[in-house]
């Protein structure tokens, strides 16, 4: 109950106040794939989920056009090469989906992070968070095609022979 007192000390009638709670808890952050996950498909998206709706720390709304700058996505670790991606945020402002522009490389550690750059509606910023996961190994051998094809006839003696692999290759050593 509150009372208003005038500057001369006259106490007014009581005012009732509805009970309320002050939010001092920062949103929690979870990653999918989780930190330490292995065997992650190279085509998978990365998901950052918050325990409650978030906004930019300057009180502005998060949008698909401003979310990318808040996220770090790199090969190996925080010092690795950047991975190009596009991120989106759901309408409830609780789930960020990170879609790498290309498939991730096989057998590769991937580092994802978000800084203390978002907060809940009460102004509680998240704690900077990150996760590192490893993609699935490549177990499919490249295929080879020849031009001209095996058994072709009428091939000019000046034609080049072209060997094409289904993916990049290297020497076995």
């Amino acid at each position: 109950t509150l009372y208003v007192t005038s500057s001369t000390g006259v106490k007014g009638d009581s005012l009732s106040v509805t009970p309320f709670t002050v939010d001092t808890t920062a949103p929690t952050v979870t990653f999918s794939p989780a930190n330490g996950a292995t065997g992650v498909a190279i085509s998978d998206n990365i998901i950052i989920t918050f325990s409650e709706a978030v906004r930019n720390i300057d009180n502005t709304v998060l949008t698909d056009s401003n979310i990318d700058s808040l996220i770090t996505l790199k090969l190996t670790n925080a010092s690795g090469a950047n991975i190009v991606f596009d991120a989106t945020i759901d309408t409830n402002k609780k789930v960020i989906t990170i879609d790498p522009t290309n498939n991730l490389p096989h057998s590769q550690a991937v580092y994802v992070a978000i800084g203390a750059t978002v907060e809940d509606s009460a102004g509680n910023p998240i704690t900077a968070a990150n996760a590192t996961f490893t993609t699935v190994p490549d177990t499919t051998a490249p295929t080879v095609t020849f031009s001209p094809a095996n058994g072709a006839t009428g091939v000019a003696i000046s034609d080049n022979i072209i060997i094409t692999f289904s993916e990049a290759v290297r020497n076995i050593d």
Side-chain angles (χ1 to χ4, degrees), residues 43-88:
S43 60
D44 279 2
N45 287 337
I46 301 146
I47 309 294
I48 302 174
T49 304
F50 303 96
S51 58
E52 60 183 302
V54 292
R55 65 184 182 200
N56 283 306
I57 56 173
D58 65 1
N59 298 336
T60 59
V61 175
L62 291 170
T63 65
D64 292 348
S65 60
N66 68 15
I67 198 75
D68 289 12
S69 64
L70 305 178
I71 298 165
T72 301
L73 186 62
K74 295 184 176 263
L75 294 175
T76 310
N77 57 38
S79 301
N82 286 326
I83 299 172
V84 179
F85 67 90
D86 184 41
T88 56

Side-chain angles (χ1 to χ4, degrees), residues 100-149:
T101 303
N102 298 305
N103 282 346
L104 298 169
H106 288 283
S107 302
Q108 177 67 55
V110 175
Y111 171 87
V112 59
I114 185 164
T117 54
V118 297
E119 65 185 10
D120 65 13
S121 62
N124 300 306
I126 65 165
T127 300
N130 65 74
T132 302
F133 60 88
T134 305
T135 58
V136 67
D138 183 359
T139 58
T140 305
T143 57
V144 181
T145 56
F146 293 90
S147 177

Side-chain angles (χ1 to χ4, degrees), residues 1-16:
T1 304
L2 296 176
Y3 294 95
V4 177
T5 304
S6 71
S7 59
T8 60
V10 177
K11 184 176 177 182
D13 293 334
S14 67
L15 301 171
S16 294

Side-chain angles (χ1 to χ4, degrees), residues 148-159:
N150 186 30
T153 59
V155 177
I157 60 172
S158 61
D159 281 357

